[in-house]
Amino acid sequence: MSHASEYCKPGEFKPIDLLAAAAAREVNDGDVVFAGTGLPMLAITLAQQEHAPNAVCIYEAGSIDGRPLHTPTSVGDARCTYQASKAAGLFEAFYGQLHSGTVDLGFLGGAEIDKYGNVNCTVLGDYNHPKKRFTGSGGNSDICSYAKRTVFIMVQEKRRFKEQVDYVTSPGWRVKKWPSGEWVTKQEVYKSYFKGGVSTVITDMAVFRFDETGEMYLDTVHPGFTVQDVIDNVGFKLNVSRVSGQTLPPTKKQVELLYQVIDPEGIFLP
Amino acid sequence: MSQPKKINLAEAAALVQDGDQITFSGFTIWRRPVALCYELIRQRKKDLHLFEVQGGFHSDLLVGAGCVKIWEGAWMGQEMLGKIGENLARKQISGEILVDDYSHGHTVGRLMAGALGLPFFPCALAMGTDIFNPEYDQLAKAGLRDGRHRNIPAKKYIMADDPFFNRGECALLPAVNPDVALVYAPIVGDEGTVRILSQSYSDAEVIKASKTVIVICEEIVPDSYLRRDPAANLASGYEIDYIVECPWAAHPTGSQFYYDADADFLKAFNKIREQKAFDEFAEKWIFGVKSHEDYLEKLGVRRLEELRASKISGYSSRVKRGTR
């Protein structure tokens, strides 16, 4: 990354810009990235435009290494396949790429998360009598279970960062082994199929990572927020002993790329 | 080996019986057989069992219209044009339909097993999640896994040890072989060869797994044209039972190189939160039009021209998708 003076000052960027920039930083050059709809699309594209030109993007509907000219509104969009190496289908995406162990990084969203990184995007309340329904898993659960690293982009709210999520759509570091239902580590359930798991959670307030035991800790806090703000918006006892500092704001170049090149139509960005 | 029969929209919908298990081509808001779904609603189908890799406008529509008793799938919504399938959400919460959730890997695997004529598909995806929680198995709770329902397997899954390489447990997921596949494809040959022009989604597996296959298309062209480039084709005519020619059949979902997804239409549909609003929508766009041609006339030339895709890029550059 270039000279610090290029970082935006407060007021020169919107919260969503910082989110996209922080998410883009999680992409290593050369990563095979499996991304979901929405902000993940912005993040992977931003990374490809800057420090990770050799990162490859797979969308679950079957486009492999596409280079869209226009931002897709759907992972099944015609725009995803522009200049793709392959226009395949879901079997290729989920088995030919994901189950085969090819995917380095997953980029996902979720409605609720617990301290072990279990994510809910299915229902609120008891599944047998739900109070609210979300989309359901789609590829969320598959990608989170099988990518070597997974980044979740979420909204920071106490009701979303819970001691226990209402429904485990995607597996974190401590999960239930079915059909018995006993709590064990992810490694114990996946055994030889284990590839990795959730590595990072990025919200509108902070960046979280997971320690050696699979528990979430606070890593960096975004400009304008304090550690206490984050604690106040987490529903479980958060480990704040490893805070490494403030989240870097986006650079001016990143903001320009986001608004002029990646999403000039205002599909995701305001 | 026989060639598919050419029929009309009403005849195609009449092939679907109340209680049938049906599945669809496409992905969320792309290449969905919407005109056929509208016709199923006009014909007042009921108790349908939808198995789909994931839902979208077409199936949230069938749910809203009260045609569906069971929905098995991995996801329901319209992506950035309406994240949650509001009709499924409403009817799952009210208990009007049975919903059983899977992951994409699971639904794709189940369909592939059906396509290959195998009894189950082995898979290690999404283990440790509530998808495998026996307390949440809605079809078992409803007493439907008793072996008396031809499309419902005796178990949702089993975990099985690897007998060959001792790699540990993975899930075995039962095959699915739907009664009828409703497939939208842009181009079909007069002998039934099917061509699509972009990602294949799960369309090949949908065709192979299903007992009866209806393909609704933009245009029927000479098969000899499609046979000039066999590598570009998705399915052979003898795998297809019926063809319906029906331009704009996927609207408001998109069809690459023919038309874009209709963002305004989809967003408006996604604002529906109660049955009354759905019924008004259905009256306007389904019951209130006499035919598919009537529907297109109601949409208007200007709207359709905006959606029409570039023959070069495969999508429209005239359609307004965002806020700028």
Side-chain angles (χ1 to χ4, degrees), chain B residues 110-177:
Chain B
R110 290 191 61 191
L111 200 57
M112 182 56 100
L116 299 176
L118 291 169
F120 55 80
F121 197 88
C123 150
L125 296 170
M127 297 193 299
T129 69
D130 275 328
I131 294 167
F132 292 108
N133 184 342
E135 286 299 308
Y136 295 161
D137 179 346
Q138 298 303 300
L139 300 186
K141 280 191 171 300
L144 296 171
R145 297 202 189 276
D146 59 0
R148 292 193 303 171
H149 302 266
R150 64 190 152 83
N151 292 315
I152 298 174
K155 290 185 161 84
K156 182 168 178 173
Y157 71 96
I158 64 163
M159 301 305 293
D161 260 321
D162 167 14
F164 304 111
F165 302 103
N166 201 27
R167 289 190 59 188
E169 278 188 348
C170 74
L172 305 185
L173 302 164
V176 62
N177 291 102

Side-chain angles (χ1 to χ4, degrees), chain A residues 45-120:
Chain A
T45 315
L46 186 59
Q48 286 173 322
Q49 295 269 351
E50 288 215 298
H51 66 279
N54 300 303
V56 166
C57 187
I58 297 170
Y59 289 130
E60 54 200 281
S63 61
I64 313 287
D65 197 14
R67 292 157 190 187
L69 287 175
H70 301 98
T71 301
T73 54
S74 149
V75 291
D77 200 316
R79 290 158 184 83
C80 297
T81 56
Y82 187 79
Q83 287 284 299
S85 60
K86 271 171 87 170
L90 281 86
F91 193 78
E92 168 69 11
F94 285 99
Y95 289 96
Q97 302 287 328
L98 190 64
H99 211 294
S100 73
T102 307
V103 176
D104 296 304
L105 179 62
F107 252 128
L108 301 166
E112 292 187 330
I113 191 165
D114 72 14
K115 66 178 167 185
Y116 296 114
N118 291 301
V119 167
N120 175 14

Side-chain angles (χ1 to χ4, degrees), chain B residues 16-31:
Chain B
V16 175
Q17 307 298 312
D18 289 347
D20 272 358
Q21 186 182 46
I22 62 175
T23 194
F24 311 90
S25 66
F27 185 92
T28 62
I29 52 169
W30 292 91
R31 296 208 312 266

Side-chain angles (χ1 to χ4, degrees), chain A residues 37-38 60-63 69-81 87-91 94-95 98-99 122-123 126-128 130-139 141-142 145-146 166-171 175-179 189-193 259 263-270, chain B residues 27-30 53-54 71 74-76 79-81 83-84 88-89 92-93 99-106 108-109 112 121-136 138 141 157 159 162 167-170 198-202 205 256 260 313-316 319 321-324:
Chain A
T37 318
E60 54 200 281
S63 61
L69 287 175
H70 301 98
T71 301
T73 54
S74 149
V75 291
D77 200 316
R79 290 158 184 83
C80 297
T81 56
L90 281 86
F91 193 78
F94 285 99
Y95 289 96
L98 190 64
H99 211 294
T122 304
V123 294
D126 175 2
Y127 185 77
N128 294 319
K131 292 206 249 334
K132 181 170 174 58
R133 180 177 176 92
F134 303 116
T135 55
S137 165
S141 175
D142 308 301
S145 68
Y146 247 65
D166 287 2
Y167 182 96
V168 177
T169 310
S170 298
V175 294
K176 284 183 178 173
K177 187 176 169 66
W178 296 111
V189 169
Y190 281 76
K191 298 230 162 62
S192 75
Y193 302 103
Y259 287 86
D263 187 19
E265 292 172 76
I267 292 165
F268 306 108
L269 297 169
Chain B
F27 185 92
T28 62
I29 52 169
W30 292 91
V53 170
Q54 88 293 122
W71 181 84
W75 194 92
M76 177 63 99
E79 298 197 72
M80 296 315 291
L81 304 174
K83 190 77 189 181
I84 295 169
L88 183 84
Q92 180 182 11
I93 291 164
V99 169
D100 218 0
D101 275 281
Y102 292 88
S103 76
H104 257 158
H106 297 162
V108 167
M112 182 56 100
F121 197 88
C123 150
L125 296 170
M127 297 193 299
T129 69
D130 275 328
I131 294 167
F132 292 108
N133 184 342
E135 286 299 308
Y136 295 161
Q138 298 303 300
K141 280 191 171 300
Y157 71 96
M159 301 305 293
D162 167 14
R167 289 190 59 188
E169 278 188 348
C170 74
S198 198
Q199 301 103 309
S200 53
Y201 306 142
S202 305
E205 294 88 334
Q256 295 90 346
D260 226 311
S313 69
Y315 52 88
S316 167
V319 69
R321 301 183 304 143
T323 55
R324 285 196 295 275

Side-chain angles (χ1 to χ4, degrees), chain B residues 7 16 41 62 81 103 108 181 286 297 314:
Chain B
I7 56 175
V16 175
I41 295 169
L62 289 171
L81 304 174
S103 76
V108 167
I286 305 173
E297 217 161 278

Side-chain angles (χ1 to χ4, degrees), chain B residues 237-268:
Chain B
Y238 63 85
E239 296 174 297
I240 310 302
D241 300 295
Y242 300 94
I243 311 174
V244 184
E245 192 176 41
C246 182
W248 297 91
H251 178 274
T253 71
S255 175
Q256 295 90 346
F257 292 91
Y258 277 81
Y259 41 90
D260 226 311
D262 190 336
D264 289 342
F265 196 100
L266 292 169
K267 282 180 192 165

